[in-house]
Amino acid sequence: MTLSQLEIFTLVAELKSFTLAAMSLKISQSAVSHAIKSLEKDLNVILFTREQNQITLTEIGCTLLNRAQHILSLQETMRQEAQASNGLKKGVLRIGSFGPGSSTNILPPLLTAFRQQYPDIQIIVDEGDDESVTQWLQEKRVDVGVVVLPDERFDTFLVKQDQYVAILPLNHPLAIHEGLTLKQLCNYPFNLTQAGSGKVVMSLFSAQKLTPKIQFRTRQLLSTFSLVARGEAVSIVAQLAIPENINNIVVKPLIPRVTRDIAFAVNNLSDASPATKAFIKLVKSCHRD
């Protein structure tokens, strides 16, 4: 069993494709297949089931994937610690972001500042929903993740307070109000965005024993904004997720105000790689109380 085999194994599992893994690594597909077969032989297990050009992890494959990710994460930490003894110059920093709220409003200035200090550190940003980011953190697929507090599973560092707001079409009857209650929103067709905050939004209605008139369910925020702008529905989204140049939409705060605390999270800062520690140090310096 080699580190190269583990790297290929984790990439095939992530991409669910031998072909895509080969393209990503710039090696032949036969080399990928050979590496997986050799690893399966060394471990005396079957890692993937192969049916009709589709591959899925076996039960033991899922278990060993977590181990492989931990080993590769430790390898990267060791490499960075060795290099850091002569000044942090090279390495990889993997960040999990949960969408426009963090990808366009929180990360950009921090990434710019980090690149200025550490130009040779490769930064990889993966975007998913809230649950995906926390799963990536637990699997050590990312070093740092943007999360919503509270989350006691990780070491967290608060960076921003956001709020949930109602969005309405222009000239909507509710647009005359300074703020809106959930009960008022229940009188109109509602779009439930499932881009990450859908569960939170539904819990708000449930807590007040209210049922919105859900006529649309969208997974992309752009679809949500488009529906509202066309006058087909009202909705609730996180304020940070709203683009600055959005047109034909009215934004109103909720009454009572509903906030969320956004933080960067790592599994264990004391065991983190030098690049991760350097990034968190930058976060702390930029977001001091």
Side-chain angles (χ1 to χ4, degrees):
M1 179 174 62
T2 66
L3 291 173
S4 177
Q5 290 172 340
L6 295 181
E7 181 182 2
I8 292 171
F9 168 46
T10 58
L11 192 58
V12 170
E14 178 184 340
L15 299 176
K16 297 181 174 62
S17 168
F18 283 71
T19 302
L20 292 178
M23 293 173 60
S24 178
L25 294 169
K26 298 181 180 179
I27 59 177
S28 67
Q29 184 173 338
S30 60
V32 171
S33 298
H34 177 72
I36 296 300
K37 288 180 180 178
S38 296
L39 184 59
E40 289 179 326
K41 183 178 180 181
D42 289 344
L43 297 174
N44 195 29
V45 296
I46 299 299
L47 298 171
F48 297 99
T49 57
R50 305 161 177 83
E51 294 180 357
Q52 298 180 341
N53 296 324
Q54 290 186 339
I55 65 168
T56 56
L57 281 166
T58 60
E59 183 176 352
I60 186 59
C62 290
T63 300
L64 296 180
L65 175 62
N66 289 332
R67 300 296 187 190
Q69 289 167 329
H70 282 231
I71 291 171
L72 293 173
S73 177
L74 180 59
Q75 177 206 21
E76 176 61 24
T77 298
M78 291 176 65
R79 180 186 292 115
Q80 289 186 23
E81 287 177 341
Q83 293 170 343
S85 64
N86 295 313
L88 184 57
K89 296 179 181 179
K90 295 184 179 180
V92 178
L93 177 66
R94 301 162 300 173
I95 300 174
S97 170
F98 61 53
S102 57
S103 297
T104 64
N105 288 296
I106 296 175
L107 278 175
L110 291 169
L111 296 184
T112 297
F114 188 82
R115 287 192 181 101
Q116 289 174 347
Q117 292 186 41
Y118 308 102
D120 294 324
I121 299 293
Q122 181 185 6
I123 301 172
I124 299 172
V125 178
D126 284 326
E127 188 174 281
D129 58 28
D130 306 33
E131 293 180 357
S132 294
V133 172
T134 55
Q135 182 179 344
W136 295 341
L137 273 169
Q138 290 177 308
E139 294 175 349
K140 295 189 179 293
R141 209 176 117 182
V142 297
D143 305 301
V144 182
V146 185
V147 303
V148 176
L149 297 179
D151 198 322
E152 298 179 355
R153 293 171 294 182
F154 312 110
D155 290 341
T156 57
F157 309 89
L158 179 67
V159 292
K160 196 88 172 179
Q161 186 176 77
D162 192 12
Q163 68 173 329
Y164 289 98
V165 294
I167 55 174
L168 317 167
L170 284 178
N171 303 317
H172 191 277
L174 294 179
I176 62 173
H177 299 283
E178 291 296 321
L180 297 173
T181 64
L182 296 180
K183 187 174 182 180
Q184 287 174 299
L185 294 174
C186 286
N187 295 322
Y188 299 91
F190 191 84
N191 174 83
L192 179 65
T193 175
Q194 296 177 304
S197 58
K199 289 183 179 179
V200 175
V201 171
M202 287 308 299
S203 71
L204 296 177
F205 284 105
S206 179
Q208 295 188 29
K209 298 182 179 179
L210 296 172
T211 303
K213 296 179 180 178
I214 299 175
Q215 294 189 9
F216 304 93
R217 298 177 188 270
T218 54
R219 290 195 173 276
Q220 300 294 328
L221 282 170
L222 287 178
S223 300
T224 298
F225 298 139
S226 178
L227 277 169
V228 174
R230 294 199 307 266
E232 297 192 44
V234 300
S235 191
I236 294 175
V237 299
Q239 190 167 34
L240 279 177
I242 303 175
E244 292 183 2
N245 60 347
I246 198 74
N247 295 316
N248 300 321
I249 283 178
V250 176
V251 179
K252 296 291 180 179
L254 294 177
I255 302 174
R257 189 166 180 258
V258 180
T259 63
R260 63 174 187 170
D261 291 328
I262 300 175
F264 283 104
V266 299
N267 275 293
N268 186 329
L269 186 59
S270 62
D271 294 334
S273 70
T276 301
K277 290 179 179 178
F279 181 78
I280 295 300
K281 183 179 179 180
L282 176 64
V283 168
K284 288 179 177 180
S285 68
C286 292
H287 294 276
R288 288 195 181 102
D289 293 335

